[in-house]
Amino acid sequence: DLRLLLLSFTLAVLGLAESRKLVRIKTKTSDAKNAGTDDEMSYHLFGTDDDCYIARGTMNNPGDDYQRGAVDVFEGTDLGPCDYKTFNQPMDLIRLGHYGSDAWIFDWIKLEYSDGTYQYCDLGGNTVIDDYDTLNIPC
């Protein structure tokens, strides 16, 4: 029956949409002079249907993160409670928190999901955050 086939297809599509989980965050530090930082960051992700907070110091790979010209990849335990969290709708913004006096200049933040989709969040490149400030970054 065609109606049963359409219903099955609709349920399958809805099921895929509901399984959209955050699996990775990538950051791109600017190539500008003194762009890198050794300070800690926090990430508060805000979506239409949910939010999630990654505390300062949680996103920490072995070696130096947030260095000039580098793309850093954070996944698994680096994402804290946001690791593999379901977001049915795209993120609206990230509230980035900076903890220290060593400015970070970044180009973009990329959110990657389990269904292969992704979002770039940025303010046009060469964005500066410094001195215990917070910054709202649209996605």
Side-chain angles (χ1 to χ4, degrees), residues 102-118:
D102 182 16
W104 182 42
I105 305 172
F106 67 96
D107 289 335
W108 47 259
I109 298 170
K110 182 181 180 184
L111 308 175
E112 296 182 355
Y113 301 96
S114 60
D115 65 357
T117 61
Y118 58 88

Side-chain angles (χ1 to χ4, degrees), residues 26-71:
K26 293 182 179 178
T27 63
K28 169 67 170 72
T29 299
S30 172
D31 200 28
K33 184 178 179 183
N34 298 318
T37 187
D38 290 324
D39 291 341
E40 295 177 335
M41 306 290 171
S42 66
Y43 293 74
H44 196 161
L45 286 59
F46 292 93
T48 303
D49 61 344
D50 209 348
D51 73 301
C52 189
Y53 181 73
I54 304 170
R56 69 186 261 190
T58 302
M59 290 176 54
N60 188 15
N61 288 316
D64 261 349
D65 297 321
Y66 307 116
Q67 297 306 299
R68 181 180 178 187
V71 173

Side-chain angles (χ1 to χ4, degrees), residues 51-127:
D51 73 301
C52 189
Y53 181 73
I54 304 170
R56 69 186 261 190
T58 302
M59 290 176 54
N60 188 15
N61 288 316
D64 261 349
D65 297 321
Y66 307 116
Q67 297 306 299
R68 181 180 178 187
V71 173
D72 291 301
V73 179
F74 303 96
E75 54 193 0
T77 58
D78 289 333
L79 301 181
C82 299
D83 180 36
Y84 223 64
K85 180 171 175 55
T86 299
F87 292 100
N88 295 323
Q89 301 293 321
M91 291 294 99
D92 296 322
L93 69 90
I94 296 173
R95 179 167 296 136
L96 183 64
H98 179 270
Y99 298 90
S101 58
D102 182 16
W104 182 42
I105 305 172
F106 67 96
D107 289 335
W108 47 259
I109 298 170
K110 182 181 180 184
L111 308 175
E112 296 182 355
Y113 301 96
S114 60
D115 65 357
T117 61
Y118 58 88
Q119 285 182 271
Y120 278 100
C121 308
D122 66 59
L123 292 169
N126 285 325
T127 302

